[in-house]
Amino acid sequence: MIRRKRKVNNEESIASIEVFGGVFALLLVLYVIMNIFSSSRLEERLDELSNNGEYKISWGEHGDGYVVLAYPDSIFIIENGSFIPHNNICKKGSSFYRYATSVYEGDQKQIIFAILDNGVETMRIARDCLQSIYPKKKVSIGWMIIDDQTMKSIKINDIPYYLEE
């Protein structure tokens, strides 16, 4: 009789472990499915947020600024990922020329130069180029100095979407 009770108790404990394991496995599968759907929806939302002007800093009613990195020997346009050597900045078909004309089409827009070490000369070339593109229009630019520590803390591919807001 005691053996029979132990056998029944063992069978009941094995059954409860099987039920618990089955429920755990189902919850794990449900978690993976929910994670897949939520991550794909998050990617859709981020894609909706990214558009032209993704790397734009807004000052409310006062205008927008588009960030361009000024290196000693080139300019890097973050939005399209193009490096333009300083001797090709103002050529009529260059990426900077096209980018500048698209930025300054609207009112209260400007290019903000993030100047790295020894990039002031390249920024000056780009500024002079903007003045030659728009000789009769007031063209506004902004600039800021970026050091090595700032560049280490900002990964170019990971510039956040909230810069647009």
mmCIF file of all heavy atoms in Angstrom, residues 62-87:
data_model
loop_
_atom_site.group_PDB
_atom_site.id
_atom_site.type_symbol
_atom_site.label_atom_id
_atom_site.label_comp_id
_atom_site.label_asym_id
_atom_site.label_seq_id
_atom_site.Cartn_x
_atom_site.Cartn_y
_atom_site.Cartn_z
ATOM 1 N N HIS A 62 12.702 79.701 -35.493
ATOM 2 C CA HIS A 62 13.893 80.412 -35.954
ATOM 3 C C HIS A 62 14.653 79.692 -37.051
ATOM 4 O O HIS A 62 15.627 80.213 -37.562
ATOM 5 C CB HIS A 62 14.819 80.680 -34.763
ATOM 6 C CG HIS A 62 14.149 81.467 -33.683
ATOM 7 N ND1 HIS A 62 13.775 82.773 -33.832
ATOM 8 C CD2 HIS A 62 13.757 81.098 -32.442
ATOM 9 C CE1 HIS A 62 13.202 83.196 -32.733
ATOM 10 N NE2 HIS A 62 13.167 82.192 -31.863
ATOM 11 N N GLY A 63 14.257 78.483 -37.412
ATOM 12 C CA GLY A 63 14.895 77.805 -38.528
ATOM 13 C C GLY A 63 15.452 76.444 -38.176
ATOM 14 O O GLY A 63 15.283 75.939 -37.067
ATOM 15 N N ASP A 64 16.094 75.854 -39.172
ATOM 16 C CA ASP A 64 16.674 74.530 -39.036
ATOM 17 C C ASP A 64 18.129 74.578 -39.469
ATOM 18 O O ASP A 64 18.499 75.330 -40.360
ATOM 19 C CB ASP A 64 15.947 73.522 -39.937
ATOM 20 C CG ASP A 64 14.491 73.361 -39.558
ATOM 21 O OD1 ASP A 64 14.213 73.264 -38.351
ATOM 22 O OD2 ASP A 64 13.648 73.325 -40.463
ATOM 23 N N GLY A 65 18.946 73.711 -38.852
ATOM 24 C CA GLY A 65 20.338 73.603 -39.232
ATOM 25 C C GLY A 65 20.682 72.168 -39.571
ATOM 26 O O GLY A 65 20.283 71.247 -38.870
ATOM 27 N N TYR A 66 21.407 71.983 -40.653
ATOM 28 C CA TYR A 66 21.804 70.657 -41.119
ATOM 29 C C TYR A 66 23.288 70.469 -40.859
ATOM 30 O O TYR A 66 24.111 71.266 -41.307
ATOM 31 C CB TYR A 66 21.490 70.516 -42.612
ATOM 32 C CG TYR A 66 20.015 70.603 -42.885
ATOM 33 C CD1 TYR A 66 19.375 71.831 -43.016
ATOM 34 C CD2 TYR A 66 19.255 69.457 -42.984
ATOM 35 C CE1 TYR A 66 18.018 71.904 -43.249
ATOM 36 C CE2 TYR A 66 17.898 69.521 -43.217
ATOM 37 C CZ TYR A 66 17.284 70.753 -43.345
ATOM 38 O OH TYR A 66 15.931 70.821 -43.554
ATOM 39 N N VAL A 67 23.635 69.409 -40.126
ATOM 40 C CA VAL A 67 25.001 69.215 -39.653
ATOM 41 C C VAL A 67 25.871 68.576 -40.736
ATOM 42 O O VAL A 67 25.501 67.573 -41.346
ATOM 43 C CB VAL A 67 25.013 68.346 -38.380
ATOM 44 C CG1 VAL A 67 26.442 68.121 -37.898
ATOM 45 C CG2 VAL A 67 24.177 68.985 -37.287
ATOM 46 N N VAL A 68 27.045 69.183 -40.949
ATOM 47 C CA VAL A 68 28.063 68.702 -41.877
ATOM 48 C C VAL A 68 29.386 68.709 -41.111
ATOM 49 O O VAL A 68 29.694 69.667 -40.410
ATOM 50 C CB VAL A 68 28.153 69.625 -43.117
ATOM 51 C CG1 VAL A 68 29.328 69.261 -43.980
ATOM 52 C CG2 VAL A 68 26.865 69.579 -43.912
ATOM 53 N N LEU A 69 30.155 67.632 -41.228
ATOM 54 C CA LEU A 69 31.445 67.547 -40.548
ATOM 55 C C LEU A 69 32.549 68.115 -41.431
ATOM 56 O O LEU A 69 32.643 67.765 -42.602
ATOM 57 C CB LEU A 69 31.771 66.097 -40.192
ATOM 58 C CG LEU A 69 30.794 65.391 -39.258
ATOM 59 C CD1 LEU A 69 31.205 63.942 -39.075
ATOM 60 C CD2 LEU A 69 30.717 66.088 -37.925
ATOM 61 N N ALA A 70 33.371 68.983 -40.857
ATOM 62 C CA ALA A 70 34.489 69.583 -41.598
ATOM 63 C C ALA A 70 35.797 68.981 -41.091
ATOM 64 O O ALA A 70 36.250 69.268 -39.985
ATOM 65 C CB ALA A 70 34.497 71.093 -41.416
ATOM 66 N N TYR A 71 36.392 68.128 -41.905
ATOM 67 C CA TYR A 71 37.696 67.527 -41.619
ATOM 68 C C TYR A 71 38.782 68.403 -42.218
ATOM 69 O O TYR A 71 38.489 69.281 -43.041
ATOM 70 C CB TYR A 71 37.771 66.123 -42.223
ATOM 71 C CG TYR A 71 36.890 65.106 -41.543
ATOM 72 C CD1 TYR A 71 35.647 64.770 -42.068
ATOM 73 C CD2 TYR A 71 37.300 64.471 -40.382
ATOM 74 C CE1 TYR A 71 34.842 63.823 -41.455
ATOM 75 C CE2 TYR A 71 36.510 63.530 -39.757
ATOM 76 C CZ TYR A 71 35.274 63.214 -40.294
ATOM 77 O OH TYR A 71 34.487 62.290 -39.674
ATOM 78 N N PRO A 72 40.049 68.180 -41.888
ATOM 79 C CA PRO A 72 41.121 69.001 -42.462
ATOM 80 C C PRO A 72 41.210 68.918 -43.983
ATOM 81 O O PRO A 72 41.557 69.889 -44.632
ATOM 82 C CB PRO A 72 42.399 68.432 -41.830
ATOM 83 C CG PRO A 72 41.954 67.738 -40.605
ATOM 84 C CD PRO A 72 40.552 67.276 -40.864
ATOM 85 N N ASP A 73 40.862 67.772 -44.559
ATOM 86 C CA ASP A 73 41.026 67.608 -46.005
ATOM 87 C C ASP A 73 39.729 67.352 -46.751
ATOM 88 O O ASP A 73 39.739 67.205 -47.971
ATOM 89 C CB ASP A 73 42.007 66.469 -46.293
ATOM 90 C CG ASP A 73 41.540 65.160 -45.673
ATOM 91 O OD1 ASP A 73 40.608 65.188 -44.845
ATOM 92 O OD2 ASP A 73 42.107 64.116 -46.014
ATOM 93 N N SER A 74 38.595 67.307 -46.039
ATOM 94 C CA SER A 74 37.323 67.020 -46.707
ATOM 95 C C SER A 74 36.142 67.444 -45.843
ATOM 96 O O SER A 74 36.312 67.806 -44.678
ATOM 97 C CB SER A 74 37.212 65.519 -47.007
ATOM 98 O OG SER A 74 37.194 64.777 -45.796
ATOM 99 N N ILE A 75 34.988 67.376 -46.461
ATOM 100 C CA ILE A 75 33.716 67.603 -45.761
ATOM 101 C C ILE A 75 32.925 66.312 -45.843
ATOM 102 O O ILE A 75 32.928 65.641 -46.880
ATOM 103 C CB ILE A 75 32.941 68.772 -46.406
ATOM 104 C CG1 ILE A 75 33.557 70.071 -45.947
ATOM 105 C CG2 ILE A 75 31.481 68.727 -46.068
ATOM 106 C CD1 ILE A 75 32.783 71.285 -46.334
ATOM 107 N N PHE A 76 32.266 65.984 -44.752
ATOM 108 C CA PHE A 76 31.446 64.779 -44.709
ATOM 109 C C PHE A 76 29.997 65.190 -44.503
ATOM 110 O O PHE A 76 29.639 65.792 -43.490
ATOM 111 C CB PHE A 76 31.894 63.854 -43.578
ATOM 112 C CG PHE A 76 31.085 62.593 -43.469
ATOM 113 C CD1 PHE A 76 31.063 61.667 -44.498
ATOM 114 C CD2 PHE A 76 30.340 62.328 -42.336
ATOM 115 C CE1 PHE A 76 30.323 60.502 -44.393
ATOM 116 C CE2 PHE A 76 29.599 61.166 -42.219
ATOM 117 C CZ PHE A 76 29.586 60.253 -43.250
ATOM 118 N N ILE A 77 29.154 64.869 -45.498
ATOM 119 C CA ILE A 77 27.722 65.128 -45.393
ATOM 120 C C ILE A 77 27.098 63.888 -44.769
ATOM 121 O O ILE A 77 27.085 62.820 -45.377
ATOM 122 C CB ILE A 77 27.097 65.442 -46.762
ATOM 123 C CG1 ILE A 77 27.764 66.673 -47.364
ATOM 124 C CG2 ILE A 77 25.601 65.644 -46.635
ATOM 125 C CD1 ILE A 77 27.362 66.952 -48.782
ATOM 126 N N ILE A 78 26.582 64.039 -43.576
ATOM 127 C CA ILE A 78 26.096 62.890 -42.817
ATOM 128 C C ILE A 78 24.899 62.244 -43.496
ATOM 129 O O ILE A 78 24.801 61.019 -43.558
ATOM 130 C CB ILE A 78 25.748 63.310 -41.378
ATOM 131 C CG1 ILE A 78 26.980 63.844 -40.680
ATOM 132 C CG2 ILE A 78 25.167 62.146 -40.594
ATOM 133 C CD1 ILE A 78 26.708 64.460 -39.333
ATOM 134 N N GLU A 79 23.979 63.033 -44.007
ATOM 135 C CA GLU A 79 22.729 62.490 -44.555
ATOM 136 C C GLU A 79 22.936 61.530 -45.713
ATOM 137 O O GLU A 79 22.269 60.517 -45.805
ATOM 138 C CB GLU A 79 21.808 63.622 -44.994
ATOM 139 C CG GLU A 79 21.175 64.309 -43.821
ATOM 140 C CD GLU A 79 20.172 65.323 -44.265
ATOM 141 O OE1 GLU A 79 19.046 64.926 -44.579
ATOM 142 O OE2 GLU A 79 20.523 66.509 -44.291
ATOM 143 N N ASN A 80 23.842 61.860 -46.605
ATOM 144 C CA ASN A 80 24.042 60.949 -47.734
ATOM 145 C C ASN A 80 25.357 60.185 -47.641
ATOM 146 O O ASN A 80 25.688 59.407 -48.526
ATOM 147 C CB ASN A 80 23.935 61.693 -49.070
ATOM 148 C CG ASN A 80 24.936 62.809 -49.218
ATOM 149 O OD1 ASN A 80 25.952 62.841 -48.541
ATOM 150 N ND2 ASN A 80 24.640 63.744 -50.107
ATOM 151 N N GLY A 81 26.130 60.418 -46.576
ATOM 152 C CA GLY A 81 27.339 59.650 -46.339
ATOM 153 C C GLY A 81 28.463 59.911 -47.325
ATOM 154 O O GLY A 81 29.285 59.038 -47.568
ATOM 155 N N SER A 82 28.535 61.120 -47.872
ATOM 156 C CA SER A 82 29.566 61.376 -48.875
ATOM 157 C C SER A 82 30.668 62.281 -48.325
ATOM 158 O O SER A 82 30.402 63.262 -47.650
ATOM 159 C CB SER A 82 28.952 61.999 -50.129
ATOM 160 O OG SER A 82 28.352 63.232 -49.828
ATOM 161 N N PHE A 83 31.896 61.890 -48.634
ATOM 162 C CA PHE A 83 33.072 62.703 -48.342
ATOM 163 C C PHE A 83 33.406 63.496 -49.597
ATOM 164 O O PHE A 83 33.474 62.938 -50.691
ATOM 165 C CB PHE A 83 34.271 61.814 -47.988
ATOM 166 C CG PHE A 83 34.298 61.363 -46.565
ATOM 167 C CD1 PHE A 83 33.790 60.129 -46.222
ATOM 168 C CD2 PHE A 83 34.828 62.172 -45.574
ATOM 169 C CE1 PHE A 83 33.816 59.697 -44.909
ATOM 170 C CE2 PHE A 83 34.858 61.753 -44.257
ATOM 171 C CZ PHE A 83 34.350 60.506 -43.924
ATOM 172 N N ILE A 84 33.621 64.791 -49.440
ATOM 173 C CA ILE A 84 34.001 65.636 -50.572
ATOM 174 C C ILE A 84 35.356 66.258 -50.236
ATOM 175 O O ILE A 84 35.470 66.998 -49.255
ATOM 176 C CB ILE A 84 32.962 66.740 -50.836
ATOM 177 C CG1 ILE A 84 31.594 66.123 -51.124
ATOM 178 C CG2 ILE A 84 33.371 67.600 -52.008
ATOM 179 C CD1 ILE A 84 30.661 66.241 -50.002
ATOM 180 N N PRO A 85 36.400 65.957 -51.021
ATOM 181 C CA PRO A 85 37.708 66.576 -50.770
ATOM 182 C C PRO A 85 37.609 68.094 -50.883
ATOM 183 O O PRO A 85 36.791 68.618 -51.651
ATOM 184 C CB PRO A 85 38.601 66.008 -51.872
ATOM 185 C CG PRO A 85 37.885 64.816 -52.398
ATOM 186 C CD PRO A 85 36.433 65.038 -52.143
ATOM 187 N N HIS A 86 38.439 68.815 -50.129
ATOM 188 C CA HIS A 86 38.295 70.267 -50.080
ATOM 189 C C HIS A 86 38.532 70.940 -51.425
ATOM 190 O O HIS A 86 37.999 72.013 -51.674
ATOM 191 C CB HIS A 86 39.178 70.881 -48.988
ATOM 192 C CG HIS A 86 40.635 70.822 -49.254
ATOM 193 N ND1 HIS A 86 41.398 69.727 -48.947
ATOM 194 C CD2 HIS A 86 41.479 71.724 -49.796
ATOM 195 C CE1 HIS A 86 42.652 69.952 -49.284
ATOM 196 N NE2 HIS A 86 42.727 71.151 -49.803
ATOM 197 N N ASN A 87 39.267 70.309 -52.325
ATOM 198 C CA ASN A 87 39.463 70.927 -53.641
ATOM 199 C C ASN A 87 38.290 70.668 -54.583
ATOM 200 O O ASN A 87 38.228 71.253 -55.662
ATOM 201 C CB ASN A 87 40.779 70.470 -54.267
ATOM 202 C CG ASN A 87 40.886 68.965 -54.367
ATOM 203 O OD1 ASN A 87 40.029 68.247 -53.858
ATOM 204 N ND2 ASN A 87 41.932 68.488 -55.011
#
